[in-house]
Amino acid sequence: YGHLLESGQYEYTREELQQIGQVIRDKSDYMVDLVNDFSLIFQLKNSAIAIQKERIDMNAFIHDLVVKYQEDVTLNNHHISFEPSDEPCEAEIDPKWFIRVIENLLSNAMKHNPPKTQVHVKVYCKQYTTMISITDNGKGMDETFVDHLFTRYYKGTSTDERTEGEGLGMSIAYAIVKLHD
């Protein structure tokens, strides 16, 4: 589109220019995200990320993230529910990085499932252990994909299914969780 616009060979309507601009912006945003993910993978692989752990109320932290997804009108084809731990639940995490883990898991649950899929997020706390469970009633994953779930650049979709991404999200999420011990 950039070359076509630059050439001056064609006349475009206002609507066409808006569509072209939208495509250029969307693809540019995607490329920036991709470069950032490559950089992050490199940093995680080389232990160049310093996390700043804070004592966080996990019920409130996860609840706030779930509410963002519940209020996102672009995701109204999915139902997201939240179940807090019955008891107070605190954990030492770096909220800046841990958000990335939860958002990746929630996004995958919606992106790789049909409309009307129900996603349930639950926080468990027992003594000194915190667990976050994200489940859905979607189509599931085949065994080959599960075996490669955290492999960098592995995309578990079939070749006739078109999805954005380069297979980095789960390996990034895994590396961030490992940083948190």
Side-chain angles (χ1 to χ4, degrees), residues 69 75 78 80 100-114 117 119 134-136 138-141 145 149-150 154-157 161 163-174:
Y69 279 80
L75 302 173
H78 294 84
I80 306 166
R100 178 80 184 252
V101 173
I102 304 303
E103 286 182 342
N104 182 270
L105 294 169
L106 288 173
S107 294
N108 281 352
M110 289 175 265
K111 179 171 46 173
H112 298 293
N113 279 309
T117 296
V119 179
I134 300 175
T135 58
D136 63 64
K139 62 183 181 181
M141 294 182 263
F145 178 70
L149 189 59
F150 302 115
Y154 183 83
K155 291 176 68 168
T157 57
E161 189 176 331
T163 60
E164 296 255 322
E166 298 303 322
L168 298 173
M170 289 304 291
S171 63
I172 289 172
Y174 180 76

Side-chain angles (χ1 to χ4, degrees), residues 6-61:
E6 184 180 43
S7 74
Q9 292 179 320
Y10 305 99
E11 293 292 322
Y12 296 101
T13 66
R14 181 183 176 112
E15 291 77 25
E16 288 172 325
L17 287 173
Q18 286 176 328
Q19 287 175 337
I20 290 170
Q22 178 72 44
V23 169
I24 291 172
R25 190 169 52 85
D26 288 347
K27 294 302 179 183
S28 296
D29 290 346
Y30 173 74
M31 298 271 302
V32 167
D33 290 343
L34 187 59
V35 168
N36 288 338
D37 280 353
F38 283 137
S39 174
L40 180 56
I41 281 288
F42 178 79
Q43 291 173 334
L44 288 166
K45 182 180 172 188
N46 293 299
S47 303
I49 299 287
I51 61 172
Q52 305 295 318
K53 289 184 181 179
E54 303 173 29
R55 192 142 199 79
I56 300 290
D57 176 348
M58 294 305 286
N59 282 324
F61 179 78

